[in-house]
């Protein structure tokens, strides 16, 4: 029985349904966790953070803030003011009024303030005022997620304004409703995917709506990064082009989490001059933010089976902690000798599940963010099981929430959370965005989410009603997470990152120009809208390839069907997961992950139920599964080859070279391991026959001469392991510099690469044409590699562990690795490179 389950069974207050019901408040919950871990927690960066063995390495206290009101703008009609007052909004905050005034005056504006700062009102004021003043005007709202659009629809509908007729248009909207929305709705809430696949190709049917379009609202615009953001940038240019064709020039109003240089990011996204409002005048309750490093597990002495020392927090993990022992057998007399491996950390998944259980036991309404879909299922399942051991039925108060669920399942979970039927959720970042989750007291973040912007966005889910909030970042056994919990200055008091997107990416620009040409012939003026010289070069190439045909009136799309464009860079249509016996659709998985998660024999989790994959049909994009309860988890392994196609830029630093360029990457999932849930023991490795996948992308790489390695004390036998370890850690630390996470990027290291003829470490973007991450790494190489060296050198392990140089996605089973030699390699590189 877990600690939380024992506590429940000994009389702690049981949670009740309603929001705001009795239970431990955030400060009391932290005190309870402190009691669990012992005294002496370092507060606000004390030098002895975690020195007493406490899992809490740092506590940051963000003080409460008073709000500053502004008068209603004179142009806001009385019915709207009265409707807002009935919802408890007596006057706007200063930043809301400032952004609304600029938008009403016709200026494109981005509001970049903290979570729960009321960004919605800033665009609702000018948009709804325009609809009330002009009965023919229309508004288009774009959201990156269906949940956020549904939340905004509820908020606008509750205002009860006559004639607005808001409606959501997404992939879940029945066809019979879509016609009504097109003809009658004046406030359409949709997403970039529907804009790309439906509204813009059918612009003739939407001509009346587009002709009357006054405002385009782009919510949570900081999420449009990388390849997806680059595609959305061109979808918005196509929207502007279509609106101009029908005689309107709408004002763009963008809302963003706090981010670096929001005006520049919004301008690159829309192609328009955008001003930023960044001073947050809303009130904020106090936030207590704890950094939590799961404890080390003592090695288990005695003989036992061989078990891998590997990170349990990857996208396919889900079992209990790996046991850190290994046994060998003497050939002389068959005597079994126990060999103790260094201790490993308790998995972040299990630690988060236990903390979630503790929170439910204390009656605290809590949301746990987990990096992967499978991880969210595992955390919810473990918490439910622990709660049911103590109080049968209490586990039903916890659920998982993630992408891939069917619409009715998502809506049911959202309703249950809002009504208080559910007390806690384990969710992917599907609930990170602006959904108004009233009454949450605490947020658990299982693993650093990749950017400081996302970290504060997730932490801001708690305390949304203005009360005190608790946020806990639970570190994974990962180089970046370990670095951050021991370097809190890298999280607190630093500006958040700028959003990275590259609309000139030829793998994005070409397909988008084809889409635009299929909607209406491209003109010379259009090419300026789509980027000028890069667009002209792309059109010339497309014309030579026969995709476009040039006529005096413009460039025409030459094919009958529409271009196939994957906005989200997932590699095509999602793979449907279907139960073999019943034909029931369980969910979907993006094609980029299908090879790893849905290969034949894989364990697939859905709403806490385990399934085994019987067959993966890539041609039909279907995986057939059956329900099962195996005592093992599955872990796919792949192999990668890379060749240099072009060098864009380089730094010659004598024995060291730093390069940026295009590379061709070939990868193939070749096998998978089955590991026992309880122990992590490898049962067997089974081969797979899956096709190779090819990728032309952008990479950053460094070379170092064998002579420099020898001078740094790196023995020839240690070079492969040193480069491999440096590669893993560099990938893990790159999210400090760019808005990515380690699953967006890949790497390869070799003691002698055929193209460079030197020991080389490559780090590449995991998207066709690149996503801007490698360019950012090249531009910040010295700072990036310094942080990488510090993360390895400061780790207390002897030979390397998941906290420093082991990778959860290594296709070589984290072998060979040479931790000490990796530090020497990085020091030699840094000594040679200019700052």
């Amino acid at each position: 029985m877990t600690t939380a389950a024992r506590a429940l069974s000994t009389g702690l207050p049981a949670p009740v349904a309603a929001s705001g019901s009795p239970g431990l408040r955030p400060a009391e919950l932290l005190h309870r966790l402190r009691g669990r871990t012992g005294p002496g927690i370092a507060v606000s960066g004390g030098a002895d953070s975690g020195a007493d063995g406490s899992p809490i390495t740092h506590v940051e206290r963000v003080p409460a803030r008073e709000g500053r009101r502004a008068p209603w703008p004179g142009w806001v009609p009385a019915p709207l003011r009265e409707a807002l007052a009935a919802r408890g909004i007596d006057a706007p905050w200063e930043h809301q009024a400032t952004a609304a005034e600029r938008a009403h005056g016709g200026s494109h504006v981005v509001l970049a303030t903290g979570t729960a700062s009321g960004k919605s009102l800033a665009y609702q004021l000018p948009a709804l005022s325009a609809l009330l003043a002009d009965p023919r005007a229309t508004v288009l709202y774009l959201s990156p997620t269906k949940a956020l659009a549904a939340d905004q629809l509820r908020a606008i509908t509750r205002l009860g304004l006559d004639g607005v007729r808001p409606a959501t248009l997404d992939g879940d909207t029945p066809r019979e409703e879509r016609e009504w929305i097109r003809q009658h709705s004046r406030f359409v809430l949709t997403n970039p995917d529907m804009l790309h696949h439906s509204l813009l190709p059918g612009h003739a049917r939407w001509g009346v709506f587009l002709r009357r379009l006054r405002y385009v609202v782009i919510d949570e615009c900081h999420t449009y990064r990388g390849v997806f953001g680059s595609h959305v940038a061109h979808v918005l240019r196509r929207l502007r082009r279509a609106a101009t064709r029908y005689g309107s020039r709408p004002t763009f109003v963008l809302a963003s989490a706090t981010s670096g240089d929001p005006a520049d990011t919004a301008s690159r996204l829309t192609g328009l001059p955008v001003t930023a409002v960044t001073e947050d005048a809303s009130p904020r309750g106090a936030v207590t933010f704890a950094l939590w490093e799961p404890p080390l597990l003592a090695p288990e002495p005695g003989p036992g089976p061989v078990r891998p020392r590997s990170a349990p927090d990857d996208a396919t993990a889900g079992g209990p902690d790996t046991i850190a022992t290994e046994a060998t057998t003497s050939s002389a007399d068959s005597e079994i000798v126990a060999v103790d491996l260094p201790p490993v950390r308790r998995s972040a998944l299990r630690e988060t599940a236990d903390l979630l259980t503790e929170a439910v036991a204390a009656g605290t309404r809590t949301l746990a963010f987990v990096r992967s879909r499978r991880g969210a299922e595992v955390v919810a399942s473990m918490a439910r099981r622990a709660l049911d051991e103590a109080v049968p039925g209490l586990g039903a108060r916890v659920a998982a929430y993630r992408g891939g669920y069917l619409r009715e399942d998502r809506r049911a979970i959202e309703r249950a959370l809002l009504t208080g039927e559910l007390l806690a959720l384990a969710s992917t970042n599907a609930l990170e965005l602006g959904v108004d989750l009233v009454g949450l007291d605490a947020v658990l973040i299982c693993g650093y989410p990749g950017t400081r912007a996302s970290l504060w966005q997730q932490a801001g889910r708690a305390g949304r009603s203005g009360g005190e909030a608790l946020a806990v970042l639970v570190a994974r056994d990962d180089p970046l997470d370990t670095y951050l919990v021991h370097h809190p200055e890298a999280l607190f008091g630093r500006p958040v990152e700028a959003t990275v997107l590259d609309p000139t990416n030829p793998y994005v620009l070409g397909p988008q120009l084809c889409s635009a040409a299929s909607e209406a012939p491209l003109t010379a003026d259009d090419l300026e809208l789509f980027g000028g010289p890069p667009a002209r070069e792309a059109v010339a190439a497309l014309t030579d390839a026969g995709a476009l045909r040039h006529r005096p009136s413009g460039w025409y799309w030459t094919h009958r069907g529409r271009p196939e464009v994957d906005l989200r860079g997932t590699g095509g249509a999602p793979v449907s997961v279907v139960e073999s016996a019943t034909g029931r659709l369980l969910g979907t998985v993006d094609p980029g992950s299908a090879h790893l998660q849905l290969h034949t024999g894989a364990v697939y989790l859905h709403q806490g139920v385990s399934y085994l994959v019987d067959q993966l049909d890539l041609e039909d994009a279907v995986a057939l599964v059956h329900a099962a309860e195996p005592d093992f988890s599955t872990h796919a392994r792949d192999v990668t080859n890379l060749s240099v196609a072009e060098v864009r830029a380089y730094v010659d630093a004598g024995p060291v070279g730093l390069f940026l360029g295009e590379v061709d990457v070939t990868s193939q999932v070749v096998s998978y391991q089955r590991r026992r849930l309880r122990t992590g023991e490898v049962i067997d490795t089974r081969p797979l026959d899956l096709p190779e996948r090819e990728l032309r992308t952008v990479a950053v790489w460094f070379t170092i001469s064998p002579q420099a390695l020898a001078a740094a004390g790196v023995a020839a036998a240690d070079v492969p392991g040193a480069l491999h370890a440096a590669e893993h850690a560099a990938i893990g630390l790159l999210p400090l510099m760019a808005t990515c996470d380690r699953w967006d990027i890949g790497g390869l290291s070799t003691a002698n690469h055929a193209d460079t003829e030197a020991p080389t470490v490559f780090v590449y973007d995991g998207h066709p044409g690149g996503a801007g991450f490698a360019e950012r790494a090249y531009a910040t190489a010295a700072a990036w590699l310094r942080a990488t060296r510090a993360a390895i050198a400061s780790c207390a392990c002897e030979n390397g562990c998941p906290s420093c140089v082991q990778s959860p996605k290594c296709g070589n089973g984290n072998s060979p690795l040479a931790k000490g030699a990796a530090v020497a390699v990085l020091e030699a590189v840094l000594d040679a490179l200019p700052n």
Side-chain angles (χ1 to χ4, degrees):
M1 184 179 291
T2 66
T3 303
R6 284 194 297 271
L8 265 179
S9 64
T10 54
L12 274 175
V16 293
S19 174
S21 54
L24 295 184
R25 304 304 298 166
E28 297 169 319
L29 179 61
L30 183 62
H31 179 73
R32 173 172 171 168
L33 296 178
R34 174 177 291 158
R36 172 188 174 190
T37 59
I41 298 171
V43 177
S44 296
D48 296 326
S49 296
D52 61 346
S54 164
I56 300 180
T57 62
H58 179 86
V59 175
E60 188 81 10
R61 305 205 187 274
V62 182
R65 178 183 63 207
E66 295 291 330
R68 302 190 306 275
R69 293 283 190 186
W72 288 111
W75 44 265
V76 178
L80 179 55
R81 289 199 307 269
E82 292 165 1
L84 292 169
R87 303 297 304 172
I89 302 173
D90 297 321
W93 305 115
E94 286 181 2
H95 64 278
Q96 294 171 327
T98 300
E101 283 281 13
R102 292 184 185 179
H104 181 261
S107 296
H108 309 293
V109 63
V110 57
L111 178 59
T113 52
T115 308
S117 59
K119 291 186 283 286
S120 298
L121 185 64
Y123 55 73
Q124 288 173 2
L125 285 178
L128 294 174
S129 295
L131 297 184
L132 293 175
D134 179 358
R136 298 164 61 85
T138 60
V139 172
L140 183 67
Y141 167 96
L142 297 176
S143 160
T145 68
K146 296 175 183 178
L148 179 55
D151 183 74
Q152 287 297 304
L153 176 65
R154 286 191 292 267
I156 296 169
T157 302
R158 282 196 295 262
L159 293 176
L161 299 172
D162 291 335
V164 173
R165 300 189 294 276
T168 56
L169 177 68
D170 57 36
D172 294 334
T173 306
R175 292 208 167 269
E176 57 271 19
E177 290 184 20
R178 296 186 185 192
E179 185 67 18
W180 183 94
I181 292 169
R182 184 178 60 79
Q183 293 182 358
H184 300 290
S185 177
R186 299 175 61 219
F187 198 124
V188 174
L189 301 98
T190 187
N191 52 60
D193 306 85
M194 286 297 293
L195 188 58
H196 165 71
H197 289 292
S198 179
L199 196 151
L200 289 175
H203 61 83
R205 296 191 303 274
W206 286 86
V208 174
F209 183 91
L210 292 170
R211 184 168 64 250
R212 300 170 177 176
L213 187 60
R214 291 285 301 279
Y215 289 98
V216 176
V217 177
I218 306 174
D219 208 353
E220 306 290 2
C221 67
H222 65 281
T223 62
Y224 299 122
R225 62 179 180 85
V227 169
F228 181 41
S230 302
H231 273 295
V232 171
H234 287 296
V235 171
L236 294 177
R237 285 159 176 76
R238 287 161 50 201
L239 172 63
R240 289 173 50 205
R241 176 174 176 252
T244 302
R245 179 185 179 92
Y246 289 97
S248 70
R249 294 186 179 272
T251 299
F252 282 71
V253 186
L254 301 93
S256 170
T258 304
S259 63
D261 203 353
D264 179 70
T265 298
S267 294
R268 283 187 288 119
L269 186 64
T270 60
L272 295 164
V274 179
T275 60
V277 176
T278 58
E279 187 173 351
D280 192 340
S282 64
R284 180 184 63 197
V287 179
T288 300
F289 206 132
L291 304 183
W292 184 291
E293 186 175 41
L296 290 168
L297 299 173
E300 291 189 4
V306 176
R307 303 179 178 103
R309 187 174 188 274
S310 60
D313 293 323
D314 59 33
T316 60
D321 311 300
T322 303
I323 305 298
T325 58
E326 180 179 63
T328 61
T329 303
S330 167
S331 59
D333 54 8
S334 297
E335 176 187 1
I336 295 178
V337 180
V339 179
D340 289 340
L341 292 176
V344 295
R345 293 202 177 275
R346 199 162 189 261
S347 82
L349 289 175
R350 179 166 287 279
E351 198 79 348
T352 302
D354 280 0
L355 293 177
L356 188 64
T357 305
E358 292 271 2
V360 174
T364 305
R365 291 168 58 86
T366 306
L367 180 61
F369 283 106
V370 188
R371 296 288 300 277
S372 69
R373 292 181 175 187
R374 180 167 183 170
E377 296 278 6
V378 167
V379 167
S381 178
M382 288 193 289
R384 283 195 296 261
R385 186 163 54 245
L387 289 163
D388 282 336
E389 286 178 8
V391 180
L394 188 56
R397 305 293 300 281
V398 179
Y401 186 99
R402 60 171 176 81
Y405 281 179
L406 301 180
R407 180 190 188 189
E408 51 270 26
D409 294 334
R410 292 196 307 270
R411 297 295 179 263
I413 293 171
E414 292 164 14
R415 285 194 300 271
L417 182 65
L418 292 172
T419 61
E421 180 183 344
L422 285 174
L423 193 65
L425 275 186
S427 173
T428 60
N429 63 0
L431 283 179
E432 175 183 318
L433 304 180
V435 180
D436 192 9
L437 305 176
V438 177
L440 291 179
D441 299 311
V443 164
L444 306 174
I445 304 170
C446 182
Y448 181 61
T451 66
R452 289 184 292 277
S454 288
L455 180 75
W456 286 106
Q457 190 81 350
Q458 292 182 4
R461 296 296 93 183
R464 287 180 68 83
S465 55
E468 182 185 354
L470 171 66
V472 181
L473 171 62
V474 181
R476 293 172 301 159
D477 215 356
D478 168 276
L480 180 57
D481 286 37
T482 302
Y483 178 86
L484 291 173
V485 295
H486 291 286
H487 295 82
E489 70 279 2
L491 290 177
F492 304 110
R494 287 188 61 181
V496 298
E497 309 87 349
T499 302
V500 175
L501 63 130
D502 179 17
T504 65
N505 180 337
Y507 288 84
V508 172
L509 181 57
Q512 287 292 335
L513 288 170
C514 289
S515 295
S518 73
E519 293 157 6
L522 286 168
T523 66
D525 289 341
D526 292 336
L527 299 187
E528 295 304 315
L529 173 67
F530 286 100
R536 288 193 288 272
E537 291 177 11
V539 163
L542 291 167
T543 303
D544 291 341
L548 299 181
R549 180 179 295 115
H550 190 210
R551 292 288 182 264
S553 56
W555 286 267
Y556 288 75
W557 174 241
T558 59
H559 301 285
R560 304 186 85 179
R562 296 194 63 251
E564 293 186 6
V565 181
D566 178 16
L567 290 192
R568 297 178 184 265
T570 56
V575 177
S576 300
V577 183
V578 177
E579 191 172 27
S580 302
T582 65
R584 180 168 64 104
L585 176 64
L586 299 177
T588 59
V589 171
D590 68 84
S593 302
H595 289 229
L596 295 169
Q597 297 181 17
L598 294 176
H599 58 78
T600 300
V603 176
Y604 174 77
L605 283 180
H606 180 74
Q607 295 187 351
V609 179
S610 297
Y611 296 85
L612 279 178
V613 178
D614 300 315
Q615 179 186 359
L616 172 61
D617 186 334
L618 292 172
E619 185 174 344
D620 291 335
V622 173
L624 299 178
V625 302
H626 69 273
E629 294 186 7
D631 63 349
F632 58 84
S633 59
T634 52
H635 305 257
R637 303 181 68 178
D638 62 359
V639 295
T640 301
N641 292 304
L642 181 150
S643 61
V644 176
E646 178 187 350
V647 175
R648 293 184 181 177
Y650 70 93
V651 175
D652 185 349
V656 171
L658 177 70
F659 300 83
L660 176 72
E662 294 185 12
V663 296
D664 291 316
V665 181
T666 302
S667 63
Q668 183 179 22
V669 176
V670 296
S671 64
Y672 69 99
Q673 286 184 341
R674 298 192 306 162
R675 301 180 191 170
R676 299 217 181 271
L677 287 177
R678 293 290 178 188
T679 64
E681 172 195 352
V682 175
I683 301 172
D684 56 21
T685 299
R686 299 189 170 191
L688 291 169
D689 184 20
L690 289 168
E692 289 186 342
R693 289 174 293 176
E694 297 180 353
L695 175 71
R696 169 66 68 92
T697 187
V698 180
V700 59
W701 65 93
F702 67 79
T703 61
I704 182 168
S705 69
Q707 295 79 9
L709 288 173
V714 180
D718 288 336
V719 170
L723 299 175
H724 194 194
E727 171 216 329
H728 282 182
I731 289 172
L733 270 293
L734 183 54
L736 271 182
M737 308 297 159
T739 51
C740 64
D741 62 38
R742 73 182 306 152
W743 301 96
D744 287 324
I745 48 184
L748 181 142
S749 59
T750 175
N752 186 22
H753 192 270
D755 294 330
T756 65
E757 298 182 341
T760 310
V761 172
F762 294 89
V763 175
Y764 58 85
D765 290 357
H767 300 278
F773 308 138
E775 284 94 337
R776 181 65 178 163
Y778 180 80
T780 62
W784 169 41
L785 296 178
R786 275 197 300 270
T788 301
R789 179 190 58 187
I792 302 174
S794 63
C795 185
C797 74
E798 183 176 350
N799 298 315
C801 69
S803 294
C804 57
V805 298
Q806 290 186 355
S807 169
K809 59 176 186 172
C810 179
N812 294 317
N814 284 300
S815 178
L817 294 174
K819 176 188 174 182
V823 174
V825 168
L826 290 167
E827 287 177 347
V829 171
L830 287 165
D831 287 343
L833 283 178
N835 286 328

